[in-house]
Amino acid sequence: MATHVGAGTAHGAKRTGAGSGWLVFAAVLMIFGGFMAVFAGIAAIAEDEVFVTTRNYIFGFDLTSWGWIHLILGIVIALAGFALFGGATWARVVGVVLAGLAMLANFLWLPYAPFWAVVLITISGFVIWALCRAPSPT
């Protein structure tokens, strides 16, 4: 007799929830991106000479203010990344929203750390993609 193997895993069961590779991928990227934003925020708060400021930039906040924005946003992103390991649906929605906010914050951060801002924008884009690509928990 022939047995039928489904499209999911080798035993025919689909992987959903916290065990999904996409959710784990998104969670790891969120934790990494969150910690990097925290480090950038601490550097901007503690030592303003770490970053080069651009004159006449239209989004020219005080560098210490940007540091606090990145610090708080980074902490919240990392916490949401840890919550994703639990497979909570709310963490997926919050993750997409926070990744979008991180993309916006890093776009505005471009004059201060251009290369690193582009890296974090890319990471946030992958987070949104992975969270939207992950199978639904139902």
Side-chain angles (χ1 to χ4, degrees):
M1 291 193 158
T3 59
H4 177 68
V5 177
T9 62
H11 301 292
K14 281 191 162 185
R15 294 186 70 183
T16 59
S20 169
W22 294 113
L23 287 182
V24 172
F25 178 69
V28 169
L29 284 181
M30 284 180 70
I31 293 167
F32 174 76
F35 282 143
M36 292 300 104
V38 166
F39 294 142
I42 290 171
I45 292 168
E47 194 65 43
D48 284 342
E49 289 81 31
V50 172
F51 298 102
V52 177
T53 57
T54 303
R55 295 180 307 179
N56 300 326
Y57 184 59
I58 194 161
F59 304 112
F61 292 131
D62 177 45
L63 196 55
T64 304
S65 299
W66 274 118
W68 281 106
I69 290 169
H70 281 277
L71 178 68
I72 293 168
L73 191 59
I75 289 170
V76 174
I77 289 171
L79 290 175
F82 283 117
L84 272 175
F85 283 119
T89 303
W90 66 265
R92 293 172 71 165
V93 173
V94 168
V96 170
V97 170
L98 288 175
L101 288 174
M103 289 176 88
L104 179 63
N106 283 303
F107 173 75
L108 299 174
W109 183 248
L110 275 169
Y112 302 103
F115 177 75
W116 194 242
V118 170
V119 169
L120 289 178
I121 289 170
T122 305
I123 288 173
S124 296
F126 278 122
V127 165
I128 292 172
W129 176 68
L131 288 175
C132 293
R133 178 69 175 97
S136 66
T138 57

